[in-house]
Amino acid sequence: MALTDDQTVEIAEIFRLMGDPTRLKILIYCLDGPVAVGDLAQATGASQSLVSHHLRLLRAARILRAERRGKKVYYAAADDHIRTVVGDMIDHVAEPAEDGED
Amino acid sequence: MALTDDQTVEIAEIFRLMGDPTRLKILIYCLDGPVAVGDLAQATGASQSLVSHHLRLLRAARILRAERRGKKVYYAAADDHIRTVVGDMIDHVAEPAEDGED
DNA sequence: TTAATATATGAAAACGTGTTCATGTATTGA
DNA sequence: TCAATACATGAACACGTTTTCATATATTAA
């Protein structure tokens, strides 16, 4: 599986966006279904403004997608790859360390 | 699957480390087996010093593990979760975009 | 021990990112 | 239209990170 330089940079960009605790919390809350911005702010403990800023980045990278219903805007994971990647990482952290580490 | 705050921060840290193009290139080259530092520098086009700095971070986070053989030090992915996460992400980028995006 | 090769590390420069605050836009209901 | 709710955005501050350069450590061979 050979990647172009652009593809590598694209993947790095997605990982980078997942690499901030506030953004990752937002993302995890969105994994199981659409969540409104206000609810994300409350769940994460971050300000509404900060959540919106992060949501814009996650949306631009196609990690989340937005859908307006009336006054509220609901965000959800863009696709199953995102869910799988985060799920794998959760497994990685949950699992006891493997043999031979330092 | 509920995560503690510490676990969320730990996962974010791993994603963050994968989120730099130079580091991600290093990581991808290490996915299929141990690679020496000098070879990583040549493959990525980064300086030996920069590669070493990045390797230290990847090692500290248990994303890569090091093994010395004579003068050379070989780095490889620490476990299968790492391989799986990167593999999923490669699929994500390779796949055509899903329906309904903007 | 000395030289050569391979890797690691400390400090500083250059650059980028997360967060807050104030304000703007969109939607609904009266 | 006016007020209220929900979300988005621009600017600026504060902070952290990537990278380079010089130098140090480890291993092997002579």
Side-chain angles (χ1 to χ4, degrees):
Chain A
M1 170 71 78
L3 292 174
T4 68
D5 215 72
D6 280 356
Q7 284 176 318
T8 309
V9 169
E10 188 183 348
I11 294 176
E13 171 73 3
I14 297 175
F15 279 139
R16 188 180 66 78
L17 289 168
M18 291 175 163
D20 173 77
T22 306
R23 269 194 308 260
L24 182 61
K25 280 179 201 166
I26 291 172
L27 173 55
I28 289 174
Y29 280 117
C30 291
L31 284 186
D32 295 324
V35 190
V37 177
D39 293 342
L40 287 170
Q42 224 188 330
T44 59
S47 72
Q48 178 266 313
S49 170
L50 179 55
V51 171
S52 264
H53 278 297
H54 284 314
L55 285 172
R56 183 151 62 114
L57 298 175
L58 293 168
R59 202 173 359 112
R62 297 166 190 271
I63 295 172
L64 294 183
R65 47 167 66 168
E67 181 192 350
R68 180 178 277 276
R69 298 183 204 161
K71 278 188 236 175
K72 299 189 177 179
V73 177
Y74 290 81
Y75 283 82
D79 61 49
D80 282 335
H81 287 299
I82 299 297
R83 274 180 280 268
T84 306
V85 167
V86 178
D88 286 341
M89 194 56 94
I90 290 173
D91 290 346
H92 175 72
V93 168
E95 183 162 297
E98 292 189 5
D99 251 20
E101 76 205 31
D102 53 7
Chain B
M1 169 73 79
L3 293 174
T4 68
D5 216 73
D6 280 357
Q7 284 175 319
T8 309
V9 170
E10 189 183 348
I11 294 175
E13 172 72 4
I14 298 174
F15 279 138
R16 188 180 67 79
L17 289 169
M18 292 175 162
D20 173 78
T22 305
R23 270 195 306 263
L24 182 61
K25 279 179 201 168
I26 291 172
L27 174 54
I28 289 174
Y29 280 116
C30 290
L31 284 186
D32 295 324
V35 189
V37 178
D39 293 341
L40 287 170
Q42 224 188 333
T44 59
S47 71
Q48 177 268 312
S49 170
L50 179 54
V51 171
S52 265
H53 279 296
H54 283 313
L55 285 172
R56 182 152 62 112
L57 298 175
L58 293 168
R59 205 176 352 115
R62 297 167 190 272
I63 294 171
L64 294 183
R65 46 168 63 168
E67 180 193 352
R68 181 178 277 276
R69 298 184 204 160
K71 279 188 235 174
K72 298 190 179 179
V73 179
Y74 290 81
Y75 284 82
D79 62 49
D80 282 336
H81 287 299
I82 299 297
R83 275 180 280 268
T84 306
V85 167
V86 178
D88 286 341
M89 194 56 94
I90 290 172
D91 290 346
H92 175 73
V93 168
E95 182 161 297
E98 292 189 6
D99 252 23
E101 78 206 31
D102 51 6

